[in-house]
Amino acid sequence: MKHNSPLKNISLLLPFITLFPVFCSFTWLADDEPMSDNVEIIEKIESSFEVKVFYRKAWLEHERLNDFDPAMKLTSALEEVFDGTLLYYFIYQEDTVILTKGDPLDASLVSSTIFNEPATGKSDTLDREAALENIREQANQIHQIGIPGKAGKTAVLSGKITGLYSNQQLPGTSVFIEGENNGTIADGDGTYRIALTTGYHEIRFTHVGMKPAVRKIQLYSDGDLDVQLQQEATSLKQVFITAEAAKKEREHIGFEKLESEKITELPSFMGEADIIKHSLLLPGIQSTGEGDMRFNVRGGKNDQNLVLLDGMHSYSNSHFFGFFPGISAGLVKDAEFYKAGMPLQYGGRISSVYNITLDPGNTSELSLHGGVSPVSLNLAVKGPLINEKLSFSAGARKTYSNWVMDLFSVRELTHSSMGFHDYQMKLSWRDNDKLSISGFFYQSYDDFVLHQDSSYTFTNQLASLNVNYHLSNQTAFHATLGYTRYNTSRTQRPSRFLAARFEQAIEDYKFSASLTHQIHPNHEILGGINVLRNTIDPWSREKDSEQSIVKPVAPNSDKALQGAIYLGDHLQLTPRFKLKAGIRYNMYALLGRETLYEFRDDRIHMDYLEDTHTYDENELAYFNGGPEYRISGSYQLVNHQYLNFGYDHNRQYIHLLTNTQAASPVDSWQLSNENIPPQVGDHLSIGYKNDIRRGRYIASLDLYYKSIRNIKDFIDGSQFELNPHPETEIVNARSQSYGLEMILKKKKGRLTGWIAYTLSKAKIKAQSQVAEKNINNGAYYPASFDKPHNLSMVINYEPTRRLMISNVIRFSSGIPMTLPVAKASLPGSQREVLFYSRRNEYRIPHYFRYDISLTYRGTLKKDPLWQSEWAFSLYNVTGRRNPYSIFYKKSHSGFRGYQLSIFGEPIPTITYQFKF
Amino acid sequence: MKLKHLKWIFLFFSWVVTCCTDPFDPGITDYEKVLVVEGLITDQPGPYRVTLSRTTPINSEEAIAEEGALVRISDDHGNEAVLQETSPGVYETQKTDIQGVSGRAYTLHIHTYNGQTFESEQVVLQTVPEIDSIYTTYQEKYSFDYNKILPGIQINVDTEAWDPQEDYYLKWDYEETWKIEPLWRSVEMEYKPCWKKEYNNAVLLENTSEYTSNQLVGYPLTQYSNESYKFFDGYSILVTQYALNHSAYQFWKMVDESSKDNGSIFDNVPFNPQSNIFNSGDDATRVFGYFDAAGVDQKRVYFETPLHGLNFKSYYSHFDCDLYMMRPSLYYNSGKVHKSWVLWENPLIDTLAYTFDKECIDCSMFTTTTKKPSFWAYD
C-alpha cells in the first residue's frame, strides 16, 4: 500500500484546518494501526483513487462502511461507501477527502472560504489567514473595556455576536461568565447585554453550529465587546429547541415551545401533520375527542385559548370539522404555548396563548417544497426576493378527495363532496439590524355538500403586519396590525318551499404596540396598548330558492371595542431569582345598534322580562373593564433546578355558545352584554423543573388551580341560532379545575421523546334563580372534557440519519357523557322515548391509542437538487375501538346502545414530501 | 350547536378509515322511576285520554302503569271532569263530561296513589287550520340500499290558508294502512287479504312564524322510492294536524333533537325534554311528558297504483314464491306434501301447482290483521 507523506498537503489545508479546528485532532492512520474492515475500506479508497482521507477513528466504531467497486468514479464510490451511515465526505482539491460526522460541511461556507479563491489568490488566502490570526489573538489577549478608574462596582457589557466572514447575526448565543454562574442569551439580532462586577472575567460565547469562543476582559465601566464566532466544521444536526427556548422552558411556568420539524416527524392522521393536535400530547392540554376542532387547557373552556398566527388571533384552526389542520405544519416555523404565566402583551382569553410563527423563508436560497398525502397536495415556495433583506414563503394546499371519492364510489356519499383548500403568504423584510417588518396573509375554505340538499362552507381569513424596531440597544418597539374574518354558512333544502341558508360572520381588526426598555441589565420594563374591534354578524337566515316561504331573519351586527393598556417589569432580583410582574387594564364597550333586555331579580328568562333597551348606531350599550394581573417568577434552587410559579387573572369578553360535547364550526360566537358578563379567571400554578445533565433530560412537575366565574354553560334544549336573546339559554356558571402535571423529556441523542402524566379535575357549577338554569340541581358536575388521568408517551428513535421511527402512545380516562338510563312510553303518540341521566353523569370507556411512523429521508446531502422524504405512518396500531361517542337506536326489540369509533382499525398512510 | 348531517361526515371516515359501530351497554341498573304523563284534550268530541306510567329500564319489555291515581281536567270556565281508569294507567273522560273548546284554557291535575300531586301548566286550545289536501308528487331520491337515484314519490300536505295575524305550532302525525293480497290462492286455505299499519317515526313539527306565507304548501311528510312495497295493493294515509301550545311544541322539539342523536360529538348533549307538568310540592321531582290542548284536523286519502307511472314492488318480492307444477300422484307420494302448499289441482290436465312458503298464500303470517278496516273504501 502506497502512502504519501501525511504532511505533503498540509500547507494547503492550513486555512481549512484552522477554520475547522475540529479537524486538527484528526487521526492519520499509520500502517501499523490494527485494521478493521472499515479501515480497510478507507485504505482501499486511498489506494484506488490516490487520495488521502482525513477522519476521526472513533467515528468508524459504530458504522459499517460499504465496499465499493474501484472502477467507479470517486464520488460514486464515496456515495456507496458512506450510504446509510452518519458520515459525510467532502472532496478537497481532488486528492483529499475529508469526512465529517453528523452533518455535511456547509457548502456555502466552504466555497466562500476555499473554492472561490483563484488559483493564484494567495493574497486572499493571506487575508483570511490574517483574519483568523486576528481571532486567535482576540481569544488570547485581555480586552480592556471601559474607562479605567471610573467609579462603579458593576458595569454593563454589551456587544454583537456575528459569524466570522458571513456577518450573520447569531441570536440565542449563550453568553456565560466562566466560574460565576452568571450569563445571558443574545437576543433576536445577536446582541447581548450583561451586568458584571468590574474587574477580570472570562466570558464564553456558545452558539449551536459555531465554535465556542472565550474572551478575557478587564472591565472598568460600561462598554462594548463584539465577538465573531467561527463556524464549526460539523454544523450540528438541526437543533430544534434553541438555547433561548430551552432557557425559557426552564424558567417560565407553563411554557412549551413546539417546532414544526419535530411535529412533522410524529405520526399523523392521513399524513396531515397538525401542530395543535400534537400539542395535546403535552400535559395540561386536552380535547374531547378525535374530531374536536378546539382544545381545553387546564380545565378551561375551548373558547378560552388565544391562537395567534403571526400575531393575529384566529377563530378556526382546522379543516373538515376538526379532522385536519388548518395550516400545513411545514409552513410553520415554531409555536410557543403558554398554559400559565401568559405574556403581558396578550389578553382577552382566559386559559392559554398559542403563538404560532410562520416560516419567514430563507434569505439566501430559493426552495420548492411539496407533499402528497392521501387527503391533500401541498406546495410551498420559500426564498429571497432581495438577497439578505427581503424573503418570502408562500404555500397552498388543496384536497383532491372528491376525485378520490368518485374513484372509490362510496355509495353513501354519492352526490356528496368534501373539499378544502388554504393558501398563505409571508413577506419578511429586514433592514440592517434595527428594523424588521413582516406581512402575512392566510385564507382557508371548506366546503361540504351532502346529497346536494344540504351544505356547509367555512371561510377563514387572516392578515397581519408586524414591525420590530430597535431604537437602541436598550429599547425595542413592536407593533402588530391584524385582521381576521371567519365566516360559516349552511344551507338546507328539505323541499324547495323550505330551502334556507344560514350564515354567521365574525370580523376583527386589531392594533397592538409595545415598547420594552432595559433600564439595567437586570431590569427591563415593558408597556403597551392593544385595541381590538370585534364585529359579529349573528346567524341570519335567508331564502335559498325562489319559492321558499322561509322568513328571512337578519339580526343587527354586534360591535364591540376592546382596549387594554399594560405595564410590566422583568426583574432579576438576585442571580437566582427572576420575577415578571405586570398589570393590564382592559376595557370593553358594546356599541349599537343593539337591543338589550333587562330582567327582574337576576332572573334571565323571558318570563321575567322587565324592559327592552335599544341603542342607536355606535351608541354605548354596555361597558365593562377591569385589571388583569400577570405575575410569574423563577427561583433557581441549585445548579439546574428551578422553582417556577405564576398567577394570572384574566378577563374575556367574547364567548363561544355551544351545547354539544365538542365545539363545532357552526357554533355561535357572542359578545358580552349586561346579561352575558365577561368571564373572569384566576389561575395559580407552581412548578419544579430539573434540567438534568445540561439539558439532556428535563423533568418537570406542575401543580395548578384555576377558578373561572361566568363561564358560559347551556340549558337543556338551548337554541342559540337565530335567538335574539341567547342569554336566556345560557347560565353564567362557575368552573373549578386543579391538577398535577408531570413530564420527563429526553431531548438529546438518538432516542428522544417524553412521557407525560396529568392528574386533573375540571368541573362546572351552573346555578341560577331560574329553575331550568340549575343544571344538575346547581351542583358541581364534571366538564365535558374532564379526563382525570392522562398519559402520553412520545418515543423517537433515529437508528441512522436517514431513518426516524416515532412512537406515540396515549391513554386517558373516558370523557363524561349523558346516557339514557330508562325509557318512557307515550302510547298516545305511539312512541317510546329515552330518559336520560343527569348531565355528564356517566363516562365512556377509557381511551388508548398507539401510533407509529417511519420517516425515510432520500438523501442526506446538505444541498442536493432534490431532497425527498417518505413517511409511513400507522395510526391506531392496536386497532382499539375507542368509543368516540355513544348513541341509541330503536329496533323491533327495543332500544340498543352503540358506540361509534372513528379510528376503529389500524390506518396506514404513506406521505411523500420533497424539497427542490 | 348541532351539525345536522354529521352522520355523513362519519361515513366519509368509514371510507377513509374503518369506522365502526359496536354494541355498547353501560350496565346502568339503578335509575329513577319517573312519572310519565301523556294527556291531550282536543276540539273534537271525546273521550280524551291521559296515560300515566313510570319509566322502565331500557331493555325491559314490560310497562309500569301508574294505577289508582285521581286524574282531573279543569278549564278556566269552572268546568271539571274526573277521568276514569279504563285500563291500568289509562284514564279517560266520559263523553258528556267535558268538550274541548277553542280559546279555553285547560289544566291537568294528578293525585297519585302514593300521595304525590302534580299539576300541568294552563294550556289554551287553539283551532288548527284545516288540511286542504294530501297528495303525492314525483320525487327522485338517492337510495343508499340500491346505490343509485331511484324514482319515487313524496307525500305532501297543504294546509288551508290561515289568518295572517295568527301563528301556529303545527304538528303532524300520520297512520299508514296498506293492503296486501296473498300472491297465490290456495285450495288449502281461504283467500284473505291483509292490512298492515304503521305510524310516523319522525317528529313532524313546524313553527309557522318562521315562514312568510300564511299557508303551508307542499309540506313533505314522507318519501318512498319505487322499491317500496306499501303501494302495490292499495294504500291509505290518515294525517292528523295539531295546533299545539308552545310547551307541547317545545316538548316534541326536544324529543326530536334528542332522538336524532346519531353519535357524534357535535350532537347536542342529550337531555330530557322539559315537561309542562310540575310536582305541586317540590321542584326536584321530575316528570316526563306533557299535557296539551290542541285543535285537531284529520284527513284520510287513498293512493292507488299506478302513481306517477311508477311500478312499485310487491311485498312478495321478499319471498321465494315460485310456483311449481307436478302430477298430483307424484306430488302426494313425495316428501313435498308436508313442506309445501297446494295452490290448485286440475284433473283435466292432471296437474297440481304448489309453492313452498306459507307466506305466499297467507299474508297474516307477516301482518297484523285480515280484517278489513272500517275506513277501507275499496276492495
Side-chain angles (χ1 to χ4, degrees):
Chain A
M1 220 177 288
K2 177 196 157 206
H3 282 298
N4 291 326
S5 153
L7 285 172
K8 187 183 153 196
N9 287 313
I10 209 76
S11 60
L12 279 167
L13 276 173
L14 189 67
F16 197 70
I17 286 167
T18 45
L19 186 61
F20 306 109
V22 170
F23 295 150
C24 297
S25 56
F26 284 1
T27 311
W28 173 248
L29 282 161
D31 279 341
D32 53 0
E33 291 269 345
M35 299 282 170
S36 68
D37 288 351
N38 287 341
V39 173
E40 273 173 16
I41 288 170
I42 294 207
E43 286 179 348
K44 188 172 162 193
I45 295 173
E46 294 183 316
S47 55
S48 312
F49 300 105
E50 296 198 348
V51 294
K52 266 178 298 180
V53 183
F54 288 81
Y55 66 103
R56 207 174 202 171
K57 205 166 75 181
W59 290 350
L60 299 181
E61 274 172 26
H62 300 291
E63 301 288 1
R64 252 196 66 185
L65 305 188
N66 310 311
D67 202 0
F68 65 98
D69 178 1
M72 290 167 127
K73 280 194 350 197
L74 174 62
T75 49
S76 314
L78 292 172
E79 201 51 58
E80 178 69 34
V81 168
F82 299 112
D83 183 46
T85 71
L86 289 175
L87 297 175
Y88 295 84
Y89 65 89
F90 184 81
I91 306 169
Y92 177 61
Q93 294 204 345
E94 293 177 0
D95 62 356
T96 306
V97 174
I98 298 161
L99 303 185
T100 61
K101 179 156 177 159
D103 250 346
L105 288 173
D106 186 329
S108 60
L109 184 75
V110 172
S111 59
S112 66
T113 51
I114 299 169
F115 291 110
N116 290 352
E117 289 170 20
T120 53
K122 284 264 191 270
S123 61
D124 199 28
T125 315
L126 287 175
D127 277 354
R128 291 187 185 278
E129 280 180 33
L132 284 163
E133 190 56 37
N134 178 27
I135 275 225
R136 253 170 303 190
E137 229 168 71
Q138 288 208 13
N140 293 328
Q141 78 179 96
I142 295 173
H143 298 263
Q144 310 288 317
I145 291 173
I147 304 150
K150 201 174 171 187
K153 274 203 152 170
T154 61
V156 178
L157 179 72
S158 57
K160 180 156 294 179
I161 303 157
T162 51
L164 183 65
Y165 306 128
S166 65
N167 281 329
Q168 164 204 9
Q169 295 161 341
L170 297 173
T173 304
S174 96
V175 180
F176 187 73
I177 316 301
E178 302 261 34
E180 292 181 37
N181 197 17
N182 186 11
T184 187
I185 299 285
D187 67 12
D189 57 4
T191 57
Y192 72 95
R193 278 173 69 78
I194 186 163
L196 298 169
T197 54
T198 49
Y200 177 80
H201 300 277
E202 280 185 26
I203 310 171
R204 173 180 287 270
F205 297 88
T206 49
H207 187 93
V208 170
M210 306 303 273
K211 194 199 165 201
V214 176
R215 294 288 179 273
K216 300 164 187 164
I217 61 160
Q218 183 68 39
L219 186 66
Y220 300 105
S221 66
D222 294 2
D224 292 342
L225 176 70
D226 291 348
V227 179
Q228 289 174 306
L229 300 185
Q230 294 166 238
Q231 176 132 12
E232 210 160 17
T234 51
S235 67
L236 289 174
K237 200 166 75 169
Q238 253 164 328
V239 173
F240 300 103
I241 298 189
T242 65
E244 194 177 9
K247 185 179 160 77
K248 204 163 169 185
E249 204 181 325
R250 280 198 301 270
E251 298 179 4
H252 193 105
I253 185 94
F255 172 79
E256 295 283 352
K257 178 131 182 165
L258 299 122
E259 303 289 325
S260 105
E261 303 202 22
K262 272 270 185 251
I263 295 299
T264 48
E265 281 168 356
L266 296 179
S268 55
F269 174 57
M270 308 295 294
E272 299 281 325
D274 189 336
I275 194 158
I276 291 179
K277 279 276 159 67
H278 281 123
S279 45
L280 298 175
L281 291 165
L282 295 167
I285 168 163
Q286 304 186 339
S287 78
T288 48
E290 261 106 12
D292 194 348
M293 63 183 290
R294 299 183 194 281
F295 54 93
N296 300 90
V297 178
R298 287 187 168 176
K301 270 194 77 181
N302 50 21
D303 59 353
Q304 295 172 348
N305 307 307
L306 186 70
V307 180
L308 297 159
L309 289 177
D310 261 14
M312 186 59 194
H313 57 267
S314 167
Y315 285 95
S316 166
N317 305 298
S318 64
H319 283 298
F320 198 61
F321 307 96
F323 285 96
F324 300 111
I327 198 153
S328 302
L331 285 156
V332 172
K333 181 170 156 260
D334 57 35
E336 292 182 322
F337 174 57
Y338 298 88
K339 58 189 172 188
M342 247 182 237
L344 195 56
Q345 298 93 299
Y346 306 119
R349 301 291 171 91
I350 285 175
S351 286
S352 77
V353 172
Y354 205 120
N355 193 2
I356 297 172
T357 308
L358 279 304
D359 192 338
N362 192 317
T363 51
S364 57
E365 212 181 11
L366 189 73
S367 61
L368 177 73
H369 305 247
V372 184
S373 85
V375 177
S376 74
L377 177 72
N378 68 72
L379 273 176
V381 192
K382 301 174 186 178
L385 286 175
I386 303 169
N387 239 343
E388 308 298 329
K389 277 210 191 305
L390 184 65
S391 66
F392 77 103
S393 72
R397 182 163 62 131
K398 192 175 183 343
T399 49
Y400 38 70
S401 49
N402 283 340
W403 168 76
V404 180
M405 262 188 194
D406 290 347
L407 201 72
F408 279 70
S409 174
V410 185
R411 55 182 209 170
E412 283 89 349
L413 288 172
T414 323
H415 303 285
S416 302
S417 65
M418 169 293 237
F420 59 77
H421 64 252
D422 57 57
Y423 48 90
Q424 60 201 311
M425 167 100 190
K426 180 170 177 172
L427 278 174
S428 304
W429 189 74
R430 178 186 280 276
D431 189 29
N432 53 59
D433 307 321
K434 292 203 181 304
L435 180 67
S436 65
I437 301 171
S438 71
F440 163 68
F441 174 76
Y442 168 80
Q443 172 152 328
S444 87
Y445 179 76
D446 265 73
D447 191 9
F448 182 71
V449 180
L450 179 76
H451 307 138
Q452 291 171 323
D453 58 11
S454 45
S455 66
Y456 296 89
T457 61
F458 312 107
T459 314
N460 192 21
Q461 289 168 308
L462 208 83
S464 77
L465 186 70
N466 284 286
V467 178
N468 274 307
Y469 184 61
H470 284 268
L471 293 134
S472 71
N473 279 345
Q474 288 79 33
T475 314
F477 171 77
H478 176 87
T480 304
L481 198 61
Y483 169 81
T484 187
R485 184 180 168 86
Y486 178 55
N487 188 302
T488 59
S489 80
R490 67 182 173 90
T491 54
Q492 56 187 49
R493 305 173 70 95
S495 82
R496 66 180 189 280
F497 301 110
L498 305 176
R501 180 168 191 276
F502 301 81
E503 190 171 357
Q504 177 189 234
I506 176 160
E507 187 177 58
D508 288 358
Y509 290 92
K510 171 182 146 172
F511 172 74
S512 69
S514 72
L515 203 60
T516 50
H517 180 70
Q518 208 174 38
I519 300 172
H520 181 271
N522 291 339
H523 187 192
E524 192 178 83
I525 55 167
L526 163 74
I529 56 157
N530 276 0
V531 182
L532 175 64
R533 189 195 147 92
N534 309 102
T535 309
I536 297 179
D537 294 326
W539 284 102
S540 63
R541 180 176 64 193
E542 59 188 59
K543 295 170 191 276
D544 199 47
S545 79
E546 273 182 30
Q547 296 106 317
S548 177
I549 59 164
V550 164
K551 193 179 279 179
V553 182
N556 285 327
S557 297
D558 293 325
K559 279 176 287 184
L561 206 56
Q562 297 190 44
I565 50 170
Y566 55 87
L567 194 64
D569 230 347
H570 293 187
L571 278 168
Q572 175 101 38
L573 290 168
T574 73
R576 286 176 179 278
F577 186 39
K578 281 184 186 169
L579 183 71
K580 291 179 181 176
I583 181 168
R584 259 176 91 90
Y585 194 88
N586 66 35
M587 287 150 287
Y588 167 88
L590 181 70
L591 303 172
R593 250 179 205 118
E594 274 295 330
T595 302
L596 296 184
Y597 301 87
E598 192 186 327
F599 299 94
R600 281 192 301 279
D601 317 324
D602 277 342
R603 290 165 196 246
I604 303 169
H605 188 278
M606 287 320 266
D607 289 353
Y608 300 93
L609 183 66
E610 179 84 23
D611 206 353
T612 305
H613 304 279
T614 55
Y615 300 88
D616 286 338
E617 190 71 38
N618 293 327
E619 191 185 346
L620 181 66
Y622 172 71
F623 180 84
N624 197 302
E628 294 182 317
Y629 309 104
R630 308 278 170 81
I631 301 161
S632 65
S634 170
Y635 184 78
Q636 190 179 6
L637 296 166
V638 281
N639 275 339
H640 295 289
Q641 296 178 41
Y642 297 83
L643 193 65
N644 303 325
F645 66 92
Y647 169 71
D648 298 289
H649 176 82
N650 292 329
R651 301 171 74 83
Q652 178 169 340
Y653 299 94
I654 187 163
H655 323 279
L656 186 66
L657 306 185
T658 174
N659 53 13
T660 51
Q661 192 92 32
S664 84
V666 294
D667 281 330
S668 306
W669 285 93
Q670 175 70 40
L671 288 164
S672 272
N673 65 34
E674 193 69 46
N675 301 313
I676 306 174
Q679 304 181 53
V680 182
D682 288 284
H683 177 199
L684 187 68
S685 54
I686 184 157
Y688 163 81
K689 244 177 202 151
N690 192 347
D691 208 352
I692 305 158
R693 292 180 60 194
R694 284 176 176 267
R696 184 168 277 270
Y697 297 93
I698 288 184
S700 144
L701 191 148
D702 279 22
L703 277 167
Y704 70 88
Y705 173 78
K706 188 192 262 174
S707 143
I708 302 162
R709 274 181 293 138
N710 296 328
I711 199 164
K712 307 305 171 205
D713 205 0
F714 58 94
I715 65 168
D716 287 345
S718 51
Q719 173 79 47
F720 301 124
E721 202 178 270
L722 304 179
N723 188 338
H725 36 75
E727 54 259 55
T728 58
E729 316 255 306
I730 59 177
V731 196
N732 294 308
R734 269 194 95 87
S735 94
Q736 263 190 2
S737 50
Y738 36 89
L740 167 75
E741 299 170 354
M742 290 186 277
I743 188 163
L744 177 69
K745 291 185 187 176
K746 183 175 185 293
K747 308 189 80 160
K748 288 174 187 164
R750 286 191 174 185
L751 186 75
T752 57
W754 69 79
I755 172 164
Y757 172 72
T758 309
L759 178 69
S760 66
K761 182 84 200 143
K763 52 189 186 176
I764 293 175
K765 178 181 177 168
Q767 208 172 20
S768 160
Q769 299 285 332
V770 180
E772 65 205 60
K773 290 196 174 186
N774 286 304
I775 310 303
N776 293 356
N777 291 334
Y780 272 111
Y781 72 93
S784 60
F785 48 85
D786 179 47
K787 296 175 179 172
H789 301 279
N790 211 326
L791 181 76
S792 58
M793 266 193 273
V794 175
I795 303 156
N796 295 325
Y797 181 63
E798 215 173 341
T800 77
R801 279 216 62 217
R802 281 196 158 183
L803 191 66
M804 165 80 160
I805 302 166
S806 179
N807 301 270
V808 176
I809 295 166
R810 301 153 215 255
F811 170 86
S812 68
S813 314
I815 54 168
M817 279 262 168
T818 311
L819 292 180
V821 290
K823 64 180 178 190
S825 151
L826 301 173
S829 318
Q830 311 286 343
R831 253 170 219 287
E832 278 189 328
V833 180
L834 289 170
F835 185 80
Y836 288 92
S837 69
R838 298 192 187 281
R839 192 178 291 173
N840 293 349
E841 194 175 334
Y842 293 91
R843 274 181 193 280
I844 57 173
H846 69 264
Y847 185 96
F848 172 81
R849 202 177 84 214
Y850 171 37
D851 304 334
I852 186 165
S853 73
L854 252 100
T855 309
Y856 179 78
R857 298 179 185 95
T859 171
L860 291 175
K861 283 198 221 164
K862 187 95 177 181
D863 288 297
L865 203 57
W866 183 268
Q867 208 171 325
S868 67
E869 198 175 281
W870 288 94
F872 170 77
S873 88
L874 192 61
Y875 221 58
N876 196 13
V877 175
T878 62
R880 180 180 155 83
R881 296 187 173 183
N882 287 301
Y884 169 80
S885 66
I886 304 294
F887 64 101
Y888 281 72
K889 270 205 167 11
K890 204 180 171 182
S891 65
H892 295 293
S893 57
F895 287 103
R896 280 198 71 180
Y898 296 92
Q899 67 167 56
L900 181 78
S901 317
I902 291 203
F903 308 127
E905 305 278 339
I907 306 158
T909 310
I910 292 176
T911 11
Y912 178 70
Q913 299 277 340
F914 64 88
K915 186 186 165 190
F916 181 59
Chain B
M1 196 161 302
K2 191 168 175 132
L3 273 169
K4 292 226 167 79
H5 300 102
L6 257 293
K7 168 161 71 172
W8 307 113
I9 289 162
F10 300 114
L11 278 171
F12 167 78
F13 286 102
S14 72
W15 155 66
V16 290
V17 304
T18 331
C19 155
C20 1
T21 310
D22 297 304
F24 173 78
D25 182 9
I28 297 167
T29 48
D30 58 325
Y31 72 99
E32 225 180 318
K33 279 187 180 158
V34 170
L35 181 68
V36 181
V37 181
E38 188 181 28
L40 181 69
I41 181 165
T42 69
D43 54 358
Q44 304 296 308
Y48 309 119
R49 183 180 284 180
V50 173
T51 57
L52 301 184
S53 60
R54 294 278 168 175
T55 50
T56 53
I58 291 168
N59 303 319
S60 85
E61 296 279 312
E62 50 148 11
I64 306 173
E66 182 73 9
E67 295 177 62
L70 175 66
V71 181
R72 293 176 296 132
I73 294 173
S74 64
D75 71 11
D76 56 350
H77 283 58
N79 302 309
E80 191 181 285
V82 176
L83 282 72
Q84 301 297 311
E85 191 171 0
T86 53
S87 59
V90 180
Y91 300 81
E92 286 186 348
T93 59
Q94 307 304 104
K95 260 219 155 110
T96 50
D97 276 355
I98 200 163
Q99 161 74 46
V101 177
S102 173
R104 287 198 187 166
Y106 297 89
T107 311
L108 175 74
H109 311 266
I110 300 165
H111 192 94
T112 62
Y113 186 74
N114 62 14
Q116 285 181 302
T117 52
F118 298 90
E119 200 160 287
S120 78
E121 163 194 281
Q122 271 203 344
V123 285
V124 178
L125 202 155
Q126 186 188 20
T127 311
V128 72
E130 281 176 23
I131 297 173
D132 176 80
S133 55
I134 299 157
Y135 55 93
T136 60
T137 47
Y138 178 79
Q139 178 80 35
E140 287 182 343
K141 184 92 180 162
Y142 176 72
S143 158
F144 305 128
D145 298 333
Y146 296 89
N147 187 25
K148 58 182 177 191
I149 290 181
L150 294 177
I153 56 159
Q154 176 169 295
I155 301 176
N156 310 282
V157 61
D158 287 3
T159 69
E160 298 272 12
W162 58 81
D163 178 352
Q165 306 302 313
E166 292 283 337
D167 275 318
Y168 296 92
Y169 296 110
L170 296 180
K171 177 175 180 259
W172 293 268
D173 280 336
Y174 58 80
E175 176 198 297
E176 298 172 291
T177 314
W178 64 96
K179 190 181 174 188
I180 296 164
E181 289 173 8
L183 189 66
W184 307 118
R185 282 171 189 272
S186 163
V187 292
E188 292 192 54
M189 67 185 301
E190 191 190 345
Y191 179 82
K192 276 195 274 188
C194 311
W195 283 267
K196 204 170 153 92
K197 197 186 269 191
E198 248 177 44
Y199 298 92
N200 56 302
N201 217 349
V203 179
L204 299 164
L205 276 181
E206 283 302 328
N207 173 0
T208 64
S209 70
E210 306 268 300
Y211 300 109
T212 48
S213 163
N214 64 327
Q215 184 183 17
L216 281 180
V217 175
Y219 183 79
L221 292 174
T222 184
Q223 288 173 335
Y224 292 105
S225 78
N226 63 351
E227 296 288 336
S228 169
Y229 49 80
K230 290 185 177 177
F231 300 90
F232 193 77
D233 293 313
Y235 170 97
S236 170
I237 184 168
L238 173 70
V239 178
T240 312
Q241 182 166 293
Y242 303 88
L244 303 183
N245 276 270
H246 180 250
S247 57
Y249 170 78
Q250 282 295 337
F251 175 86
W252 284 113
K253 199 163 176 237
M254 292 183 185
V255 166
D256 185 36
E257 274 175 29
S258 282
S259 65
K260 270 188 194 155
D261 202 330
N262 51 38
S264 132
I265 50 170
F266 301 130
D267 278 335
N268 287 352
V269 171
F271 52 89
N272 291 316
Q274 210 186 323
S275 178
N276 62 354
I277 299 160
F278 305 96
N279 187 300
S280 317
D282 68 300
D283 287 341
T285 308
R286 295 193 281 181
V287 181
F288 190 94
Y290 69 96
F291 171 68
D292 198 23
V296 168
D297 188 42
Q298 270 192 336
K299 199 173 184 95
R300 175 177 294 282
V301 291
Y302 296 85
F303 297 133
E304 279 201 287
T305 46
L307 277 168
H308 308 280
L310 295 169
N311 292 313
F312 286 95
K313 278 208 169 149
S314 155
Y315 206 92
Y316 285 101
S317 51
H318 295 282
F319 295 102
D320 175 18
C321 285
D322 287 349
L323 181 145
Y324 302 92
M325 284 190 259
M326 230 181 196
R327 279 208 181 127
S329 50
L330 280 172
Y331 175 80
Y332 290 116
N333 288 319
S334 75
K336 295 193 177 80
V337 178
H338 305 291
K339 292 190 284 187
S340 62
W341 301 85
V342 178
L343 304 180
W344 47 261
E345 216 181 314
N346 192 336
L348 288 177
I349 53 170
D350 191 28
T351 304
L352 173 145
Y354 66 95
T355 189
F356 283 103
D357 288 350
K358 193 184 179 194
E359 282 88 348
C360 307
I361 57 166
D362 180 8
C363 52
S364 71
M365 300 282 293
F366 53 87
T367 55
T368 40
T369 180
T370 53
K371 197 179 153 218
K372 183 170 159 183
S374 56
F375 55 80
W376 201 262
Y378 301 84
D379 301 325

